[in-house]
Amino acid sequence: MKSFKIIFLTLLTLISCNRNDKKDNSEKENINLELKSTLESILLKDQGIREIVNGNLSDKRKTELLTQMNLSENDIDGNRKFNLMRKIDSINIVEVENIIDKFGYPSKSLVGEPANKAIFYVIQHSNKINKYLPLIREATKNGDISQTSLAMMEDRNLMEQGLEQIYGTQIKGQANRKGEWIYFLWPIKNVDSINVWRKQAGFVQTVEEYLKEMDVEFKLYEINELSEL
């Protein structure tokens, strides 16, 4: 009787594994490999140039990125890296709009992860957020984009319209009256509820903790005060 139970359990395990293997193979078969490769290349350029611009990377990582992106040190020398970032962003958004026209928002099941995140990042770094925000909201409902990512895009969209943000994700950089470059938290709509909103959206950090990590002073401004900075 004992040996029968062992054989039975073994058979169940084999059946279960076989089903999982078939499921995995089925998911892989549904992946659009060409689109996946295109999106991975777009994602590399979008995130890679920002790593380079931010400058907080090791020499090894910089060399790795330059090789992967087919760039030279000369391409990112001085202000050239900022011009390059703008150029990459402008090319990426054209590619992304063509992809959206053909596929809608590419889901995890279509291109896998992290390729499915490329569209989000490119739109976030473009001037087309307002146009594609409904698409991003729908992709979030479908589980292809996180609630925190959507919150960041909602905030940036509000900031670009000169309105107060909701979740406190957007930090603005600009030259002050003295010509010094400063960073500050973009004005918040419901200051007293900000950390409640952040928690509901899935953020682990409070806005105070977030600013501390970003090395930005925790100071609250009203929209009409920004012109005085």
Side-chain angles (χ1 to χ4, degrees):
M1 186 67 177
K2 184 177 180 180
S3 61
F4 174 76
K5 287 182 178 179
I6 293 173
I7 293 171
F8 180 71
L9 289 172
T10 302
L11 285 171
L12 283 179
T13 302
L14 289 171
I15 291 170
S16 177
C17 289
N18 190 41
R19 285 176 178 170
N20 288 334
D21 288 343
K22 286 182 179 179
K23 182 181 178 182
D24 291 341
N25 289 333
S26 176
E27 289 176 351
K28 288 177 182 178
E29 288 173 4
N30 291 330
I31 295 290
N32 184 322
L33 296 178
E34 183 179 355
L35 181 58
K36 178 178 183 290
S37 177
T38 298
L39 288 171
E40 286 174 343
S41 176
I42 290 172
L43 183 61
L44 170 65
K45 288 181 284 187
D46 177 275
Q47 295 295 288
I49 189 60
R50 282 170 170 78
E51 271 195 71
I52 291 170
V53 166
N54 289 339
N56 296 322
L57 71 171
S58 64
D59 289 340
K60 180 181 178 181
R61 176 58 178 163
K62 184 169 75 170
T63 300
E64 182 182 75
L65 281 172
L66 291 177
T67 301
Q68 290 175 341
M69 298 172 68
N70 195 27
L71 298 172
S72 69
E73 287 279 357
N74 188 53
D75 293 321
I76 60 169
D77 182 51
N79 288 330
R80 288 183 181 178
K81 58 179 174 285
F82 298 104
N83 295 329
L84 179 60
M85 183 169 69
R86 285 189 285 270
K87 182 180 178 180
I88 287 173
D89 287 349
S90 64
I91 292 172
N92 278 349
I93 191 62
V94 172
E95 288 191 71
V96 157
E97 289 195 288
N98 289 333
I99 290 170
I100 290 172
D101 288 343
K102 188 173 182 180
F103 299 96
Y105 192 95
S107 64
K108 293 177 185 178
S109 59
L110 182 64
V111 296
E113 296 183 89
N116 71 303
K117 298 177 182 177
I119 297 286
F120 167 83
Y121 283 117
V122 172
I123 293 173
Q124 179 78 340
H125 298 143
S126 76
N127 60 357
K128 303 277 182 88
I129 290 178
N130 198 47
K131 177 180 178 180
Y132 290 109
L133 194 49
L135 179 75
I136 299 300
R137 288 172 182 151
E138 190 63 30
T140 303
K141 288 181 183 178
N142 295 335
D144 288 305
I145 297 174
S146 69
Q147 289 289 338
T148 53
S149 292
L150 174 61
M152 287 190 288
M153 187 170 283
E154 296 277 10
D155 273 356
R156 181 162 294 191
N157 188 50
L158 290 167
M159 182 178 73
E160 289 181 352
Q161 296 179 65
L163 302 173
E164 297 163 313
Q165 62 176 322
I166 298 170
Y167 303 98
T169 65
Q170 299 303 299
I171 294 169
K172 178 75 172 178
Q174 68 178 43
N176 63 14
R177 290 187 167 189
K178 298 178 181 178
E180 302 165 331
W181 195 259
I182 60 169
Y183 291 93
F184 59 91
L185 178 67
W186 185 259
I188 297 171
K189 187 175 183 179
N190 298 303
V191 174
D192 294 337
S193 306
I194 180 63
N195 288 324
V196 175
W197 284 105
R198 286 178 65 86
K199 187 174 182 180
Q200 288 178 351
F203 292 103
V204 176
Q205 294 175 313
T206 63
V207 69
E208 293 88 352
E209 291 168 338
Y210 168 60
L211 291 176
K212 184 177 181 180
E213 183 180 281
M214 299 299 290
D215 196 25
V216 174
E217 180 186 5
F218 179 66
K219 189 170 182 179
L220 301 174
Y221 292 99
E222 299 288 337
I223 294 288
N224 58 12
E225 294 179 311
L226 299 183
S227 59
E228 303 300 319
L229 294 178

